[in-house]
Amino acid sequence: MLFRVEILEKQGMLIEALELLEAEKEYVVDVHGWLRKKADLLLHIGDRHEEAEVVWKQLIDKYGMENYRFHCGWQVSLLKLPTNLAKACLQLQACDTPATALTLTTEQRDVLAAAYQGLAEEHPRSRAIKRIPLTFLDVDSEAFEAALTAHMKSLLHKGVPVLASDLSALFTGPVSGGRPYLSTGSSHGSSLRHAGYVEGMLVRLKDPALIAKHPAFLKVLEVATKLLASLEATGFFSAEDAAAAAA
């Protein structure tokens, strides 16, 4: 059945593909695959963001709180991205999501913040759900510093060796050549490529000189300096940790 759905999809018959998917629902054994295909189709069709949001949330809840592809689709739905941009974001890899690849408006940041606050209450042990807000919270906000401090302390306590690599995902900027950031509030459909990153999307910075001036890097450096100073002075990463140990 999924093969026939994919044939219709390749022919551009997205509505028909979705209708076939729904018609064969009761015979489906691979529920995960069925849900994933439905979620993709809803976003490819466009103007079905509310339905897509529900399906991507089901995938996160039932099949992978740590799966960044599910979070990517959920964010596309929450932000109601236009179809071409949605398709490009669905092809992001590793831990990249719309929050790392696009310049978000204040309203879009607020939408994601509210959604992930609720998700964190439902899944308090998920590492991804705790980490992802770092990619969309305002770097100068108290919320970002608190989330960053908690994230760094958690990984340092566990001795995770990839902390630096993990945080490097926060250091994003335009592709070399000075191309402007993409504003998701305007129409750039004509400039979008069919696959991968598109014109104006942000990428992870590699140039040390650019990273050294990046606001997120400066905040990471500030928090790391505070943690190190506290560790040297008290043997703990913070005064709160020291007080808790003494209690």
Side-chain angles (χ1 to χ4, degrees):
M1 183 270 293
L2 287 178
F3 176 73
R4 287 186 289 152
V5 169
E6 290 178 359
I7 294 297
L8 291 172
E9 184 179 7
K10 289 179 180 178
Q11 294 175 340
M13 302 171 68
L14 302 181
I15 299 294
E16 292 81 358
L18 183 60
E19 290 175 347
L20 174 60
L21 198 68
E22 292 285 9
E24 300 292 333
K25 179 179 180 179
E26 62 180 296
Y27 306 110
V28 171
V29 176
D30 180 9
V31 179
H32 166 265
W34 185 90
L35 282 172
R36 178 62 187 271
K37 178 54 68 175
K38 180 178 180 179
D40 282 334
L41 282 172
L42 287 169
L43 290 181
H44 289 168
I45 290 171
D47 199 28
R48 305 284 289 269
H49 296 99
E50 289 78 10
E51 296 171 73
E53 179 185 332
V54 172
V55 181
W56 285 109
K57 178 65 162 51
Q58 286 181 302
L59 285 166
I60 291 173
D61 291 338
K62 296 181 180 180
Y63 297 102
M65 293 175 289
E66 311 302 321
N67 189 319
Y68 276 78
R69 297 309 93 225
F70 297 166
H71 287 282
C72 186
W74 195 47
Q75 289 185 19
V76 169
S77 305
L78 289 166
L79 298 175
K80 297 179 171 55
L81 298 181
T83 305
N84 286 347
L85 187 53
K87 289 180 179 180
C89 286
L90 289 175
Q91 295 181 60
L92 295 172
Q93 301 296 317
C95 296
D96 288 329
T97 67
T100 63
L102 303 175
T103 301
L104 303 178
T105 66
T106 300
E107 292 74 16
Q108 288 171 323
R109 292 176 186 275
D110 290 343
V111 167
L112 293 180
Y116 274 90
Q117 181 178 352
L119 199 62
E121 293 172 358
E122 296 176 26
H123 305 289
R125 299 177 63 85
S126 170
R127 178 184 169 192
I129 294 171
K130 292 177 182 177
R131 176 189 176 278
I132 288 174
L134 293 173
T135 64
F136 59 75
L137 291 173
D138 184 350
V139 173
D140 295 323
S141 68
E142 293 182 1
F144 179 85
E145 182 169 349
L148 177 63
T149 300
H151 181 66
M152 292 178 64
K153 285 172 57 178
S154 175
L155 268 62
L156 288 169
H157 275 302
K158 296 175 182 176
V160 177
V162 294
L163 176 59
S165 176
D166 180 63
L167 294 175
S168 70
L170 305 180
F171 314 144
T172 60
V175 182
S176 60
R179 283 181 279 182
Y181 284 15
L182 180 65
S183 171
T184 59
S186 58
S187 175
H188 288 264
S190 61
S191 68
L192 298 178
R193 294 198 295 268
H194 293 297
Y197 283 96
V198 299
E199 184 74 19
M201 290 180 78
L202 309 181
V203 297
R204 298 190 188 191
L205 297 177
K206 301 296 183 182
D207 186 339
L210 293 176
I211 292 174
K213 297 184 291 185
H214 195 282
F217 174 80
L218 295 176
K219 182 59 68 173
V220 167
L221 183 60
E222 177 187 330
V223 170
T225 301
K226 290 180 181 178
L227 293 176
L228 180 59
S230 178
L231 187 63
E232 291 176 337
T234 67
F236 296 90
F237 285 124
S238 67
E240 292 77 9
D241 291 345

